[in-house]
Amino acid sequence: MVKEVIEHSYLMRDLPQLSPRHQTYGLEVFHSIVSHLAPKSTHFFHLMMLARLYIAAHHFNANRNRAQAKRRDGAEMWKPSYPKATKGTECVVKKCKVPAAYGMHIHLIS
């Protein structure tokens, strides 16, 4: 049954049309947080690395659905962006998010 669903012609036809940007954006953000907290150029013992991965996961989960920032008068804030895909020739307007929450201040010692 699972094989029939996976190999169905409709799914096979639709897969190439899916946008890779929307599929991997969250994963790329998480990986950037992990790279910040546990850079590959630094050796960490297993428990320290595990703790850093837990902190990265907690930070990502706590901040993934941040609200759109608003001005004092209640108007939503927006910012211009020039995507690399268009080589900076087209402007796209994106939402400004509220600043990330860090909860308790955690100082990591390498």
Side-chain angles (χ1 to χ4, degrees), residues 20-68:
R21 187 183 118 228
H22 294 292
Q23 295 175 19
T24 61
Y25 178 74
L27 183 62
E28 289 173 7
V29 170
F30 176 68
H31 282 168
S32 72
I33 295 169
V34 169
S35 294
H36 178 75
L37 293 173
K40 292 180 181 179
S41 60
T42 306
H43 175 266
F44 298 104
F45 289 105
H46 180 72
L47 288 177
M48 180 61 79
M49 184 64 152
L50 193 59
R52 287 170 179 260
L53 290 174
Y54 286 160
I55 292 168
H58 175 72
H59 177 75
F60 176 76
N61 288 333
N63 291 292
R64 71 171 188 238
N65 293 322
R66 290 183 291 151
Q68 186 170 358

mmCIF file of all heavy atoms in Angstrom, residues 20-68:
data_model
loop_
_atom_site.group_PDB
_atom_site.id
_atom_site.type_symbol
_atom_site.label_atom_id
_atom_site.label_comp_id
_atom_site.label_asym_id
_atom_site.label_seq_id
_atom_site.Cartn_x
_atom_site.Cartn_y
_atom_site.Cartn_z
ATOM 1 N N PRO A 20 11.837 23.853 -3.675
ATOM 2 C CA PRO A 20 12.778 23.426 -2.647
ATOM 3 C C PRO A 20 12.964 24.476 -1.549
ATOM 4 O O PRO A 20 13.274 24.148 -0.427
ATOM 5 C CB PRO A 20 14.087 23.206 -3.393
ATOM 6 C CG PRO A 20 13.848 23.558 -4.795
ATOM 7 C CD PRO A 20 12.426 23.951 -4.972
ATOM 8 N N ARG A 21 12.754 25.759 -1.860
ATOM 9 C CA ARG A 21 12.925 26.814 -0.873
ATOM 10 C C ARG A 21 11.958 26.622 0.293
ATOM 11 O O ARG A 21 12.312 26.773 1.445
ATOM 12 C CB ARG A 21 12.704 28.182 -1.505
ATOM 13 C CG ARG A 21 13.039 29.314 -0.554
ATOM 14 C CD ARG A 21 12.741 30.655 -1.161
ATOM 15 N NE ARG A 21 11.726 31.249 -0.302
ATOM 16 C CZ ARG A 21 10.623 31.819 -0.706
ATOM 17 N NH1 ARG A 21 10.354 31.903 -1.965
ATOM 18 N NH2 ARG A 21 9.775 32.320 0.142
ATOM 19 N N HIS A 22 10.720 26.276 -0.017
ATOM 20 C CA HIS A 22 9.718 26.119 1.035
ATOM 21 C C HIS A 22 9.913 24.821 1.810
ATOM 22 O O HIS A 22 9.478 24.716 2.941
ATOM 23 C CB HIS A 22 8.312 26.177 0.444
ATOM 24 C CG HIS A 22 7.979 27.519 -0.121
ATOM 25 N ND1 HIS A 22 7.816 28.629 0.666
ATOM 26 C CD2 HIS A 22 7.818 27.935 -1.386
ATOM 27 C CE1 HIS A 22 7.540 29.671 -0.085
ATOM 28 N NE2 HIS A 22 7.544 29.276 -1.342
ATOM 29 N N GLN A 23 10.562 23.859 1.233
ATOM 30 C CA GLN A 23 10.760 22.589 1.912
ATOM 31 C C GLN A 23 11.929 22.639 2.890
ATOM 32 O O GLN A 23 11.927 21.962 3.890
ATOM 33 C CB GLN A 23 11.039 21.489 0.895
ATOM 34 C CG GLN A 23 9.882 21.205 -0.011
ATOM 35 C CD GLN A 23 10.257 20.195 -1.068
ATOM 36 O OE1 GLN A 23 11.225 19.471 -0.932
ATOM 37 N NE2 GLN A 23 9.492 20.150 -2.131
ATOM 38 N N THR A 24 12.946 23.435 2.601
ATOM 39 C CA THR A 24 14.167 23.364 3.391
ATOM 40 C C THR A 24 14.445 24.612 4.219
ATOM 41 O O THR A 24 15.411 24.630 4.975
ATOM 42 C CB THR A 24 15.375 23.129 2.476
ATOM 43 O OG1 THR A 24 15.491 24.218 1.567
ATOM 44 C CG2 THR A 24 15.235 21.825 1.715
ATOM 45 N N TYR A 25 13.634 25.638 4.126
ATOM 46 C CA TYR A 25 13.939 26.883 4.808
ATOM 47 C C TYR A 25 14.084 26.697 6.315
ATOM 48 O O TYR A 25 15.063 27.142 6.916
ATOM 49 C CB TYR A 25 12.873 27.941 4.507
ATOM 50 C CG TYR A 25 13.128 29.234 5.227
ATOM 51 C CD1 TYR A 25 14.129 30.085 4.809
ATOM 52 C CD2 TYR A 25 12.387 29.587 6.349
ATOM 53 C CE1 TYR A 25 14.391 31.258 5.475
ATOM 54 C CE2 TYR A 25 12.639 30.760 7.025
ATOM 55 C CZ TYR A 25 13.639 31.600 6.585
ATOM 56 O OH TYR A 25 13.896 32.752 7.252
ATOM 57 N N GLY A 26 13.135 26.023 6.937
ATOM 58 C CA GLY A 26 13.187 25.806 8.385
ATOM 59 C C GLY A 26 14.410 25.005 8.790
ATOM 60 O O GLY A 26 15.059 25.297 9.802
ATOM 61 N N LEU A 27 14.745 24.000 8.002
ATOM 62 C CA LEU A 27 15.919 23.182 8.297
ATOM 63 C C LEU A 27 17.194 24.007 8.184
ATOM 64 O O LEU A 27 18.105 23.881 9.008
ATOM 65 C CB LEU A 27 15.972 21.984 7.352
ATOM 66 C CG LEU A 27 17.097 20.992 7.559
ATOM 67 C CD1 LEU A 27 16.993 20.356 8.940
ATOM 68 C CD2 LEU A 27 17.067 19.928 6.485
ATOM 69 N N GLU A 28 17.272 24.863 7.189
ATOM 70 C CA GLU A 28 18.450 25.709 7.025
ATOM 71 C C GLU A 28 18.588 26.695 8.182
ATOM 72 O O GLU A 28 19.700 26.968 8.648
ATOM 73 C CB GLU A 28 18.386 26.451 5.691
ATOM 74 C CG GLU A 28 18.588 25.536 4.504
ATOM 75 C CD GLU A 28 18.361 26.233 3.182
ATOM 76 O OE1 GLU A 28 18.173 27.465 3.169
ATOM 77 O OE2 GLU A 28 18.373 25.540 2.157
ATOM 78 N N VAL A 29 17.485 27.230 8.658
ATOM 79 C CA VAL A 29 17.529 28.134 9.807
ATOM 80 C C VAL A 29 18.028 27.383 11.040
ATOM 81 O O VAL A 29 18.890 27.879 11.770
ATOM 82 C CB VAL A 29 16.144 28.759 10.073
ATOM 83 C CG1 VAL A 29 16.123 29.506 11.390
ATOM 84 C CG2 VAL A 29 15.760 29.682 8.932
ATOM 85 N N PHE A 30 17.505 26.186 11.262
ATOM 86 C CA PHE A 30 17.954 25.389 12.404
ATOM 87 C C PHE A 30 19.445 25.087 12.300
ATOM 88 O O PHE A 30 20.187 25.212 13.277
ATOM 89 C CB PHE A 30 17.146 24.095 12.522
ATOM 90 C CG PHE A 30 17.624 23.207 13.626
ATOM 91 C CD1 PHE A 30 17.467 23.581 14.954
ATOM 92 C CD2 PHE A 30 18.245 22.003 13.351
ATOM 93 C CE1 PHE A 30 17.918 22.773 15.993
ATOM 94 C CE2 PHE A 30 18.693 21.188 14.375
ATOM 95 C CZ PHE A 30 18.531 21.574 15.690
ATOM 96 N N HIS A 31 19.911 24.709 11.120
ATOM 97 C CA HIS A 31 21.330 24.406 10.940
ATOM 98 C C HIS A 31 22.207 25.637 11.181
ATOM 99 O O HIS A 31 23.317 25.516 11.707
ATOM 100 C CB HIS A 31 21.582 23.837 9.552
ATOM 101 C CG HIS A 31 21.194 22.411 9.425
ATOM 102 N ND1 HIS A 31 21.108 21.764 8.220
ATOM 103 C CD2 HIS A 31 20.846 21.485 10.356
ATOM 104 C CE1 HIS A 31 20.737 20.519 8.407
ATOM 105 N NE2 HIS A 31 20.566 20.331 9.701
ATOM 106 N N SER A 32 21.712 26.820 10.828
ATOM 107 C CA SER A 32 22.504 28.022 11.089
ATOM 108 C C SER A 32 22.614 28.282 12.590
ATOM 109 O O SER A 32 23.658 28.741 13.071
ATOM 110 C CB SER A 32 21.910 29.230 10.369
ATOM 111 O OG SER A 32 20.712 29.645 10.964
ATOM 112 N N ILE A 33 21.563 27.984 13.340
ATOM 113 C CA ILE A 33 21.612 28.129 14.802
ATOM 114 C C ILE A 33 22.599 27.125 15.394
ATOM 115 O O ILE A 33 23.409 27.461 16.256
ATOM 116 C CB ILE A 33 20.209 27.963 15.421
ATOM 117 C CG1 ILE A 33 19.298 29.088 14.953
ATOM 118 C CG2 ILE A 33 20.288 27.938 16.943
ATOM 119 C CD1 ILE A 33 17.841 28.874 15.286
ATOM 120 N N VAL A 34 22.546 25.890 14.906
ATOM 121 C CA VAL A 34 23.479 24.861 15.383
ATOM 122 C C VAL A 34 24.914 25.269 15.061
ATOM 123 O O VAL A 34 25.808 25.160 15.906
ATOM 124 C CB VAL A 34 23.150 23.477 14.773
ATOM 125 C CG1 VAL A 34 24.257 22.477 15.053
ATOM 126 C CG2 VAL A 34 21.828 22.962 15.306
ATOM 127 N N SER A 35 25.145 25.783 13.860
ATOM 128 C CA SER A 35 26.497 26.202 13.472
ATOM 129 C C SER A 35 26.994 27.350 14.335
ATOM 130 O O SER A 35 28.188 27.467 14.597
ATOM 131 C CB SER A 35 26.526 26.619 12.004
ATOM 132 O OG SER A 35 26.264 25.519 11.185
ATOM 133 N N HIS A 36 26.080 28.193 14.763
ATOM 134 C CA HIS A 36 26.467 29.301 15.626
ATOM 135 C C HIS A 36 26.844 28.803 17.027
ATOM 136 O O HIS A 36 27.835 29.252 17.608
ATOM 137 C CB HIS A 36 25.322 30.312 15.723
ATOM 138 C CG HIS A 36 25.617 31.461 16.617
ATOM 139 N ND1 HIS A 36 26.454 32.483 16.252
ATOM 140 C CD2 HIS A 36 25.211 31.742 17.870
ATOM 141 C CE1 HIS A 36 26.546 33.347 17.246
ATOM 142 N NE2 HIS A 36 25.781 32.917 18.243
ATOM 143 N N LEU A 37 26.071 27.872 17.560
ATOM 144 C CA LEU A 37 26.305 27.385 18.915
ATOM 145 C C LEU A 37 27.378 26.300 18.997
ATOM 146 O O LEU A 37 27.996 26.116 20.037
ATOM 147 C CB LEU A 37 25.008 26.853 19.525
ATOM 148 C CG LEU A 37 23.934 27.892 19.790
ATOM 149 C CD1 LEU A 37 22.643 27.219 20.239
ATOM 150 C CD2 LEU A 37 24.398 28.882 20.843
ATOM 151 N N ALA A 38 27.556 25.569 17.900
ATOM 152 C CA ALA A 38 28.533 24.479 17.895
ATOM 153 C C ALA A 38 29.294 24.498 16.578
ATOM 154 O O ALA A 38 29.054 23.666 15.699
ATOM 155 C CB ALA A 38 27.820 23.138 18.092
ATOM 156 N N PRO A 39 30.223 25.443 16.418
ATOM 157 C CA PRO A 39 30.951 25.528 15.151
ATOM 158 C C PRO A 39 31.783 24.276 14.883
ATOM 159 O O PRO A 39 32.313 23.659 15.815
ATOM 160 C CB PRO A 39 31.851 26.753 15.340
ATOM 161 C CG PRO A 39 31.868 27.038 16.784
ATOM 162 C CD PRO A 39 30.646 26.433 17.379
ATOM 163 N N LYS A 40 31.903 23.916 13.622
ATOM 164 C CA LYS A 40 32.633 22.706 13.248
ATOM 165 C C LYS A 40 34.127 22.837 13.503
ATOM 166 O O LYS A 40 34.820 21.842 13.611
ATOM 167 C CB LYS A 40 32.388 22.392 11.773
ATOM 168 C CG LYS A 40 30.967 21.979 11.484
ATOM 169 C CD LYS A 40 30.787 21.693 10.013
ATOM 170 C CE LYS A 40 29.359 21.294 9.719
ATOM 171 N NZ LYS A 40 29.143 21.031 8.299
ATOM 172 N N SER A 41 34.616 24.055 13.586
ATOM 173 C CA SER A 41 36.048 24.269 13.785
ATOM 174 C C SER A 41 36.472 24.062 15.244
ATOM 175 O O SER A 41 37.660 24.123 15.550
ATOM 176 C CB SER A 41 36.428 25.676 13.341
ATOM 177 O OG SER A 41 35.711 26.634 14.106
ATOM 178 N N THR A 42 35.530 23.834 16.134
ATOM 179 C CA THR A 42 35.824 23.654 17.554
ATOM 180 C C THR A 42 35.416 22.252 17.988
ATOM 181 O O THR A 42 34.332 21.794 17.645
ATOM 182 C CB THR A 42 35.051 24.692 18.392
ATOM 183 O OG1 THR A 42 35.333 25.995 17.894
ATOM 184 C CG2 THR A 42 35.434 24.612 19.846
ATOM 185 N N HIS A 43 36.291 21.593 18.738
ATOM 186 C CA HIS A 43 35.973 20.255 19.241
ATOM 187 C C HIS A 43 35.187 20.376 20.546
ATOM 188 O O HIS A 43 35.558 21.123 21.438
ATOM 189 C CB HIS A 43 37.245 19.451 19.492
ATOM 190 C CG HIS A 43 36.970 18.120 20.107
ATOM 191 N ND1 HIS A 43 36.994 17.916 21.470
ATOM 192 C CD2 HIS A 43 36.618 16.941 19.558
ATOM 193 C CE1 HIS A 43 36.687 16.661 21.729
ATOM 194 N NE2 HIS A 43 36.456 16.051 20.585
ATOM 195 N N PHE A 44 34.096 19.613 20.641
ATOM 196 C CA PHE A 44 33.313 19.540 21.867
ATOM 197 C C PHE A 44 33.175 18.075 22.262
ATOM 198 O O PHE A 44 32.971 17.216 21.413
ATOM 199 C CB PHE A 44 31.911 20.127 21.668
ATOM 200 C CG PHE A 44 31.905 21.572 21.315
ATOM 201 C CD1 PHE A 44 31.659 21.980 20.019
ATOM 202 C CD2 PHE A 44 32.150 22.540 22.278
ATOM 203 C CE1 PHE A 44 31.650 23.320 19.688
ATOM 204 C CE2 PHE A 44 32.143 23.885 21.958
ATOM 205 C CZ PHE A 44 31.899 24.276 20.654
ATOM 206 N N PHE A 45 33.284 17.814 23.554
ATOM 207 C CA PHE A 45 33.026 16.456 24.024
ATOM 208 C C PHE A 45 31.537 16.169 23.873
ATOM 209 O O PHE A 45 30.718 17.075 23.728
ATOM 210 C CB PHE A 45 33.485 16.293 25.471
ATOM 211 C CG PHE A 45 34.979 16.301 25.604
ATOM 212 C CD1 PHE A 45 35.637 17.405 26.108
ATOM 213 C CD2 PHE A 45 35.724 15.202 25.189
ATOM 214 C CE1 PHE A 45 37.015 17.429 26.212
ATOM 215 C CE2 PHE A 45 37.104 15.213 25.291
ATOM 216 C CZ PHE A 45 37.753 16.323 25.803
ATOM 217 N N HIS A 46 31.201 14.895 23.909
ATOM 218 C CA HIS A 46 29.845 14.453 23.583
ATOM 219 C C HIS A 46 28.771 15.175 24.396
ATOM 220 O O HIS A 46 27.800 15.676 23.832
ATOM 221 C CB HIS A 46 29.723 12.941 23.778
ATOM 222 C CG HIS A 46 28.362 12.416 23.465
ATOM 223 N ND1 HIS A 46 27.884 12.321 22.180
ATOM 224 C CD2 HIS A 46 27.361 12.003 24.280
ATOM 225 C CE1 HIS A 46 26.650 11.860 22.211
ATOM 226 N NE2 HIS A 46 26.304 11.649 23.471
ATOM 227 N N LEU A 47 28.908 15.247 25.699
ATOM 228 C CA LEU A 47 27.869 15.876 26.522
ATOM 229 C C LEU A 47 27.741 17.365 26.245
ATOM 230 O O LEU A 47 26.637 17.915 26.228
ATOM 231 C CB LEU A 47 28.135 15.636 28.009
ATOM 232 C CG LEU A 47 27.880 14.210 28.481
ATOM 233 C CD1 LEU A 47 28.255 14.055 29.953
ATOM 234 C CD2 LEU A 47 26.430 13.819 28.263
ATOM 235 N N MET A 48 28.854 18.054 26.002
ATOM 236 C CA MET A 48 28.802 19.482 25.682
ATOM 237 C C MET A 48 28.116 19.694 24.323
ATOM 238 O O MET A 48 27.312 20.608 24.157
ATOM 239 C CB MET A 48 30.206 20.086 25.670
ATOM 240 C CG MET A 48 30.225 21.561 25.358
ATOM 241 S SD MET A 48 29.321 22.599 26.517
ATOM 242 C CE MET A 48 30.491 22.704 27.831
ATOM 243 N N MET A 49 28.427 18.842 23.357
ATOM 244 C CA MET A 49 27.798 18.946 22.043
ATOM 245 C C MET A 49 26.303 18.670 22.147
ATOM 246 O O MET A 49 25.488 19.382 21.547
ATOM 247 C CB MET A 49 28.455 17.962 21.076
ATOM 248 C CG MET A 49 27.946 18.071 19.676
ATOM 249 S SD MET A 49 28.352 19.684 19.010
ATOM 250 C CE MET A 49 28.458 19.301 17.312
ATOM 251 N N LEU A 50 25.933 17.673 22.918
ATOM 252 C CA LEU A 50 24.531 17.345 23.112
ATOM 253 C C LEU A 50 23.787 18.510 23.764
ATOM 254 O O LEU A 50 22.686 18.876 23.334
ATOM 255 C CB LEU A 50 24.403 16.077 23.965
ATOM 256 C CG LEU A 50 23.046 15.417 24.018
ATOM 257 C CD1 LEU A 50 22.586 15.006 22.628
ATOM 258 C CD2 LEU A 50 23.103 14.196 24.932
ATOM 259 N N ALA A 51 24.398 19.134 24.761
ATOM 260 C CA ALA A 51 23.780 20.283 25.428
ATOM 261 C C ALA A 51 23.591 21.433 24.441
ATOM 262 O O ALA A 51 22.547 22.088 24.429
ATOM 263 C CB ALA A 51 24.636 20.733 26.602
ATOM 264 N N ARG A 52 24.576 21.686 23.592
ATOM 265 C CA ARG A 52 24.469 22.761 22.610
ATOM 266 C C ARG A 52 23.378 22.467 21.578
ATOM 267 O O ARG A 52 22.668 23.368 21.148
ATOM 268 C CB ARG A 52 25.818 22.985 21.936
ATOM 269 C CG ARG A 52 26.808 23.664 22.866
ATOM 270 C CD ARG A 52 28.216 23.658 22.293
ATOM 271 N NE ARG A 52 29.108 24.339 23.199
ATOM 272 C CZ ARG A 52 29.518 25.592 23.054
ATOM 273 N NH1 ARG A 52 29.122 26.292 22.018
ATOM 274 N NH2 ARG A 52 30.319 26.142 23.932
ATOM 275 N N LEU A 53 23.242 21.213 21.187
ATOM 276 C CA LEU A 53 22.172 20.845 20.252
ATOM 277 C C LEU A 53 20.797 21.030 20.891
ATOM 278 O O LEU A 53 19.853 21.485 20.242
ATOM 279 C CB LEU A 53 22.353 19.414 19.767
ATOM 280 C CG LEU A 53 23.534 19.182 18.842
ATOM 281 C CD1 LEU A 53 23.693 17.699 18.538
ATOM 282 C CD2 LEU A 53 23.384 19.969 17.554
ATOM 283 N N TYR A 54 20.679 20.671 22.179
ATOM 284 C CA TYR A 54 19.411 20.884 22.890
ATOM 285 C C TYR A 54 19.073 22.365 22.979
ATOM 286 O O TYR A 54 17.919 22.765 22.802
ATOM 287 C CB TYR A 54 19.465 20.288 24.294
ATOM 288 C CG TYR A 54 19.395 18.772 24.356
ATOM 289 C CD1 TYR A 54 19.832 18.096 25.481
ATOM 290 C CD2 TYR A 54 18.897 18.024 23.292
ATOM 291 C CE1 TYR A 54 19.767 16.712 25.550
ATOM 292 C CE2 TYR A 54 18.841 16.651 23.353
ATOM 293 C CZ TYR A 54 19.274 15.991 24.492
ATOM 294 O OH TYR A 54 19.202 14.645 24.550
ATOM 295 N N ILE A 55 20.060 23.180 23.262
ATOM 296 C CA ILE A 55 19.840 24.631 23.346
ATOM 297 C C ILE A 55 19.417 25.171 21.986
ATOM 298 O O ILE A 55 18.497 25.990 21.890
ATOM 299 C CB ILE A 55 21.098 25.346 23.872
ATOM 300 C CG1 ILE A 55 21.322 24.972 25.338
ATOM 301 C CG2 ILE A 55 20.975 26.847 23.704
ATOM 302 C CD1 ILE A 55 22.676 25.395 25.871
ATOM 303 N N ALA A 56 20.057 24.719 20.915
ATOM 304 C CA ALA A 56 19.702 25.163 19.564
ATOM 305 C C ALA A 56 18.262 24.767 19.227
ATOM 306 O O ALA A 56 17.506 25.573 18.679
ATOM 307 C CB ALA A 56 20.672 24.578 18.536
ATOM 308 N N ALA A 57 17.885 23.538 19.567
ATOM 309 C CA ALA A 57 16.523 23.079 19.287
ATOM 310 C C ALA A 57 15.506 23.883 20.085
ATOM 311 O O ALA A 57 14.460 24.280 19.564
ATOM 312 C CB ALA A 57 16.396 21.596 19.606
ATOM 313 N N HIS A 58 15.820 24.141 21.345
ATOM 314 C CA HIS A 58 14.912 24.921 22.191
ATOM 315 C C HIS A 58 14.763 26.346 21.638
ATOM 316 O O HIS A 58 13.654 26.866 21.539
ATOM 317 C CB HIS A 58 15.424 24.955 23.621
ATOM 318 C CG HIS A 58 14.608 25.830 24.517
ATOM 319 N ND1 HIS A 58 13.348 25.488 24.925
ATOM 320 C CD2 HIS A 58 14.849 27.050 25.034
ATOM 321 C CE1 HIS A 58 12.854 26.456 25.676
ATOM 322 N NE2 HIS A 58 13.752 27.417 25.753
ATOM 323 N N HIS A 59 15.865 26.976 21.273
ATOM 324 C CA HIS A 59 15.818 28.337 20.733
ATOM 325 C C HIS A 59 15.019 28.379 19.432
ATOM 326 O O HIS A 59 14.186 29.264 19.230
ATOM 327 C CB HIS A 59 17.238 28.852 20.502
ATOM 328 C CG HIS A 59 17.283 30.210 19.897
ATOM 329 N ND1 HIS A 59 16.994 31.346 20.619
ATOM 330 C CD2 HIS A 59 17.553 30.624 18.644
ATOM 331 C CE1 HIS A 59 17.092 32.399 19.830
ATOM 332 N NE2 HIS A 59 17.431 31.979 18.617
ATOM 333 N N PHE A 60 15.253 27.422 18.545
ATOM 334 C CA PHE A 60 14.530 27.376 17.270
ATOM 335 C C PHE A 60 13.031 27.198 17.504
ATOM 336 O O PHE A 60 12.219 27.930 16.933
ATOM 337 C CB PHE A 60 15.064 26.233 16.403
ATOM 338 C CG PHE A 60 14.300 26.055 15.120
ATOM 339 C CD1 PHE A 60 14.488 26.919 14.064
ATOM 340 C CD2 PHE A 60 13.387 25.030 14.984
ATOM 341 C CE1 PHE A 60 13.784 26.761 12.878
ATOM 342 C CE2 PHE A 60 12.681 24.865 13.814
ATOM 343 C CZ PHE A 60 12.873 25.734 12.755
ATOM 344 N N ASN A 61 12.654 26.261 18.361
ATOM 345 C CA ASN A 61 11.235 26.004 18.611
ATOM 346 C C ASN A 61 10.549 27.176 19.299
ATOM 347 O O ASN A 61 9.387 27.477 19.024
ATOM 348 C CB ASN A 61 11.053 24.736 19.436
ATOM 349 C CG ASN A 61 11.343 23.493 18.637
ATOM 350 O OD1 ASN A 61 11.195 23.482 17.416
ATOM 351 N ND2 ASN A 61 11.780 22.447 19.297
ATOM 352 N N ALA A 62 11.256 27.862 20.185
ATOM 353 C CA ALA A 62 10.666 28.985 20.915
ATOM 354 C C ALA A 62 10.458 30.203 20.031
ATOM 355 O O ALA A 62 9.611 31.046 20.324
ATOM 356 C CB ALA A 62 11.554 29.348 22.101
ATOM 357 N N ASN A 63 11.215 30.308 18.936
ATOM 358 C CA ASN A 63 11.171 31.514 18.109
ATOM 359 C C ASN A 63 10.672 31.299 16.687
ATOM 360 O O ASN A 63 10.685 32.226 15.889
ATOM 361 C CB ASN A 63 12.568 32.146 18.055
ATOM 362 C CG ASN A 63 12.967 32.715 19.377
ATOM 363 O OD1 ASN A 63 12.393 33.688 19.840
ATOM 364 N ND2 ASN A 63 13.933 32.085 20.024
ATOM 365 N N ARG A 64 10.219 30.123 16.346
ATOM 366 C CA ARG A 64 9.868 29.871 14.946
ATOM 367 C C ARG A 64 8.582 30.559 14.500
ATOM 368 O O ARG A 64 8.404 30.807 13.321
ATOM 369 C CB ARG A 64 9.805 28.381 14.677
ATOM 370 C CG ARG A 64 8.640 27.689 15.307
ATOM 371 C CD ARG A 64 8.541 26.272 14.817
ATOM 372 N NE ARG A 64 7.307 25.726 15.307
ATOM 373 C CZ ARG A 64 7.213 24.666 16.050
ATOM 374 N NH1 ARG A 64 8.285 24.004 16.383
ATOM 375 N NH2 ARG A 64 6.053 24.249 16.462
ATOM 376 N N ASN A 65 7.686 30.861 15.403
ATOM 377 C CA ASN A 65 6.418 31.500 15.026
ATOM 378 C C ASN A 65 6.306 32.904 15.600
ATOM 379 O O ASN A 65 5.289 33.267 16.173
ATOM 380 C CB ASN A 65 5.232 30.645 15.499
ATOM 381 C CG ASN A 65 5.153 29.336 14.772
ATOM 382 O OD1 ASN A 65 5.424 29.264 13.581
ATOM 383 N ND2 ASN A 65 4.799 28.284 15.481
ATOM 384 N N ARG A 66 7.364 33.696 15.441
ATOM 385 C CA ARG A 66 7.342 35.060 15.978
ATOM 386 C C ARG A 66 6.323 35.907 15.226
ATOM 387 O O ARG A 66 6.112 35.743 14.035
ATOM 388 C CB ARG A 66 8.723 35.703 15.854
ATOM 389 C CG ARG A 66 9.729 35.077 16.797
ATOM 390 C CD ARG A 66 11.049 35.773 16.722
ATOM 391 N NE ARG A 66 11.659 35.506 15.416
ATOM 392 C CZ ARG A 66 12.480 36.329 14.810
ATOM 393 N NH1 ARG A 66 12.807 37.478 15.336
ATOM 394 N NH2 ARG A 66 12.998 36.004 13.643
ATOM 395 N N ALA A 67 5.705 36.818 15.952
ATOM 396 C CA ALA A 67 4.682 37.696 15.381
ATOM 397 C C ALA A 67 5.336 38.797 14.553
ATOM 398 O O ALA A 67 6.533 39.063 14.668
ATOM 399 C CB ALA A 67 3.852 38.319 16.501
ATOM 400 N N GLN A 68 4.524 39.429 13.737
ATOM 401 C CA GLN A 68 5.012 40.552 12.951
ATOM 402 C C GLN A 68 5.140 41.782 13.851
ATOM 403 O O GLN A 68 4.277 42.059 14.671
ATOM 404 C CB GLN A 68 4.052 40.862 11.800
ATOM 405 C CG GLN A 68 4.572 41.929 10.867
ATOM 406 C CD GLN A 68 3.738 42.063 9.614
ATOM 407 O OE1 GLN A 68 2.776 41.331 9.427
ATOM 408 N NE2 GLN A 68 4.095 42.987 8.769
#
